[in-house]
Amino acid sequence: MKLSDSRTITTLWSDFIIEELVRSGITMFCISPGSRSTPLTTAAARHPEASCSIFPDERAAAFFALGYARATRKAAALVCTSGTAAANYYPAVVEAAMDRQPMLLLTADRPHELRETGANQTIHQEGMFGRYTRWAFQFPEPSPDYPAASLLSTIDHAIARSQDTPAGPVHLNIPFREPLDPVVVDPEAHPWTGPVTSWLAATGPFSRKIRTVQKPSPDTVATVTRILDKAHRPLLVVGRLETPEGAEAIISLARHCNAPLYADISSTLRLQNSLKPLQHLLLAPDTPGIDGCDVIVHFGGALVSRSVERALEKWTLQDYVLIKSYPDRYDPSHRVTLEIDANPAMFARAMLEQGISTPKESWLQTELLAETETELDRWFAPEDTVSEPSAARLISTLVSPDHGLFLANSMPVRDMDLYGAAVRQDRLPIAMNRGASGIDGIIATAAGFSEGLQRPVTLVIGDISFLHDLNSLALLRRRSHPLHIVVVNNNGGGIFSFLPIAASAEEELFETCFATPQEYDIPTAAATFGIPCTTPATNDELRRAYLTLRESGQSGIVQVVTARRENWVQHRELNERLQDIIRKHIC
């Protein structure tokens, strides 16, 4: 094969891969610069319908793609060079796999003759993401001997596997021989493309896969209906929903059954004013008078808080029904008695359509929740020093209806779940990285979430997570929609103050090995990237600072400075006060 022929076939391969991705609706390309990936990068950059974002850091690129998928439920394509570039995708690949988010990884590789030779930037890339991919495929080096139809159908299969149930990452490893620079070639005049001339003349993908969602069978619906009918103290739980659309059917079902509904923050229903948050009631599941439920019907997946799980340690259940849209196991308490793989909202709607018995008298006194909400508002007075719980409550009310909300792990997501105000008429798009619950790549994920939503997003994040992804602040300067970052800075890992090690270890060991204070200056870090930053002192100042940032239409940072010890004390005192209110009404 002549050298010119090698360049021609490499160019055609890359053009075909990108073209088929775009025809199949994969138009977002997250590209990291590199030499070996030149053919793919050039093909994507020159495609008129491809949207290309360039990331010097592959880790940030992968988390951005993850956030984009959370917003769109559609994969972004990642393109990188060979070597450790691909390895930097790993944390985001794990999160995408654990939380069933689609992702396509196109990793360029060295040709086989350079492997195991000590050649520069050559590692074992085939299958490098292991069981965290839904499918992985090793292409041969571009060659006219490899059928064009096979190349196209493989791309189509990769797309389908990434977006199937469960969705997740798909890895395509593509070795390229030098020379890597593309050439101008007319595909219709090249003999290799002859077998796919009809595809060249068309505008649609080479092949498609259609997945239909089956309506739950009447017998299955009747089984769950009978369980609810026999229950004396039913509790409906809604956790992470793959597709939040239609979740109102779950609310309607709870009302029809006159059953309390525990809405986790990951359900996107937690902050709506149509629900009474049960998080405060479950702070004390063993309070005399709360006999506990006898049946749980759980719609969706995992919960942020362990309140329900702890309550199950006190309660005796007859049945625990779990209805989720994926086949993976979710049963950390080992209490599930019936597991149904079905769309949760569709299943709730089917139960309403099939009919259930006359509503029972509610067994849980949710009326007292109005007093706990009043207490929270009283506790967080405007003139008081801003705290981590008050920041969560304020932000929950101030995010604009046409924006989105992203919550970092550790304390921000837990505080929003426990203290967020259920006053919103809209169902705010809310996202978080709860697949593996890591603190890495949070800023990049939030930026990708904003890109996918095509609207501004507010990110609430801790100082260690912020530091972990500091370089992703560079993304804020070139986003079409702003990212508003609220950094809760307690100079360390605040969540460790709530764990047993805080009481059992000597102070120096705890501070050094767990709290890990970093002593870095967030306003200075923001200034490095040209991002404005303010540090309000009171709740009212936080409200005004956030609203000013929100109305500016620009990205920016609001820093909330707290102290870890005082934060732990306030959480304890506040939760005890809420429990006192509950005991007063029930006992």
Side-chain angles (χ1 to χ4, degrees), residues 2-71:
K2 296 180 180 179
L3 193 62
S4 59
D5 293 332
S6 176
R7 292 172 63 189
T8 297
I9 197 64
T10 297
T11 298
L12 284 171
W13 263 55
S14 302
D15 287 347
F16 273 38
I17 289 171
I18 300 304
E19 175 66 23
E20 187 66 358
L21 288 170
V22 171
R23 290 192 187 191
S24 300
I26 308 300
T27 58
M28 171 58 67
F29 291 83
C30 301
I31 298 172
S32 296
S35 174
R36 191 62 52 167
S37 54
T38 295
L40 291 172
T41 297
T42 305
R46 289 177 175 173
H47 197 291
E49 297 176 44
S51 177
C52 297
S53 291
I54 308 302
F55 299 83
D57 176 9
E58 287 84 6
R59 188 184 69 168
F63 276 107
F64 183 92
L66 172 68
Y68 177 85
R70 290 198 191 284

Side-chain angles (χ1 to χ4, degrees), residues 334-358:
H334 305 286
R335 301 293 292 274
V336 172
T337 59
L338 176 60
E339 180 178 323
I340 300 169
D341 291 348
N343 179 281
M346 184 180 293
F347 198 94
R349 194 176 300 114
M351 290 183 69
L352 289 168
E353 292 171 354
Q354 186 164 308
I356 51 181
S357 63
T358 304

Side-chain angles (χ1 to χ4, degrees), residues 522-577:
I522 288 177
T524 301
T528 300
F529 293 91
I531 301 168
C533 179
T534 58
T535 305
T538 67
N539 290 324
D540 188 56
E541 289 180 9
L542 171 60
R543 181 186 64 81
R544 287 188 277 116
Y546 175 81
L547 289 176
T548 298
L549 177 59
R550 191 188 79 176
E551 299 307 316
S552 72
Q554 303 296 318
S555 294
I557 298 170
V558 177
Q559 177 185 214
V560 174
V561 177
T562 67
R564 274 181 277 111
R565 175 66 185 179
E566 286 79 356
N567 176 57
W568 176 79
V569 170
Q570 185 179 52
H571 275 78
R572 185 186 63 182
E573 292 178 350
L574 178 54
N575 292 348
E576 287 177 352
R577 174 60 184 145

Side-chain angles (χ1 to χ4, degrees), residues 132-408:
Y132 292 108
T133 56
R134 298 292 182 258
W135 188 60
F137 189 79
Q138 173 69 37
F139 277 106
E141 292 76 11
S143 166
D145 297 328
Y146 191 81
S150 177
L151 177 66
L152 295 173
S153 66
T154 300
I155 296 300
D156 294 332
H157 183 68
I159 296 168
R161 290 297 302 271
S162 74
Q163 299 180 164
D164 208 342
T165 300
V170 165
H171 178 206
L172 301 177
N173 196 53
I174 311 171
F176 290 113
R177 288 193 176 95
E178 294 181 343
L180 302 169
D181 53 311
V183 295
V184 177
V185 57
D186 180 4
E188 295 184 0
H190 197 279
W192 179 72
T193 65
V196 292
T197 52
S198 59
W199 174 82
L200 286 168
T203 57
F206 184 75
S207 62
R208 296 183 298 156
K209 178 180 179 179
I210 297 176
R211 182 174 62 88
T212 60
V213 179
Q214 300 295 329
K215 187 175 182 179
S217 71
D219 288 345
T220 305
V221 173
T223 298
V224 179
T225 299
R226 285 194 297 270
I227 291 173
L228 265 181
D229 285 344
K230 292 188 298 182
H232 297 289
R233 299 182 303 279
L235 174 67
L236 269 58
V237 173
V238 56
R240 167 85 165 84
L241 297 173
E242 301 292 303
T243 53
E245 290 79 7
E248 287 76 11
I250 301 173
I251 300 176
S252 298
L253 178 64
R255 287 174 178 162
H256 188 86
C257 298
N258 205 16
L261 175 62
Y262 181 97
D264 186 78
I265 188 66
S266 64
S267 70
T268 73
L269 302 176
R270 164 66 179 83
L271 303 180
Q272 289 186 221
N273 60 7
S274 58
L275 292 176
K276 294 183 174 68
L278 301 187
Q279 275 76 352
H280 306 151
L281 281 172
L282 294 187
L283 285 171
D286 54 350
T287 297
I290 299 183
D291 297 326
C293 68
D294 56 359
V295 167
I296 288 179
V297 179
H298 182 149
F299 293 92
L303 307 175
V304 167
S305 172
R306 290 190 61 211
S307 295
V308 174
E309 190 176 336
R310 292 191 183 101
L312 291 176
E313 297 172 1
K314 308 289 183 181
W315 298 346
T316 301
L317 292 183
Q318 295 177 4
D319 285 286
Y320 190 133
V321 180
L322 176 63
I323 303 164
K324 54 183 177 52
S325 57
Y326 53 89
D328 299 339
R329 183 185 186 190
Y330 176 70
D331 187 17
S333 61
H334 305 286
R335 301 293 292 274
V336 172
T337 59
L338 176 60
E339 180 178 323
I340 300 169
D341 291 348
N343 179 281
M346 184 180 293
F347 198 94
R349 194 176 300 114
M351 290 183 69
L352 289 168
E353 292 171 354
Q354 186 164 308
I356 51 181
S357 63
T358 304
K360 304 174 178 66
E361 181 181 351
S362 179
W363 64 277
L364 199 57
Q365 299 180 32
T366 56
E367 295 79 7
L368 63 88
L369 294 173
E371 187 171 340
T372 62
E373 291 292 296
T374 300
E375 178 65 17
L376 286 172
D377 290 333
R378 185 195 67 79
W379 193 281
F380 305 135
E383 66 276 9
D384 289 347
T385 300
V386 65
S387 65
E388 297 184 30
S390 71
R393 192 164 182 83
L394 276 170
I395 296 302
S396 72
T397 65
L398 296 176
V399 178
S400 175
D402 57 352
H403 289 199
L405 177 64
F406 199 96
L407 302 170

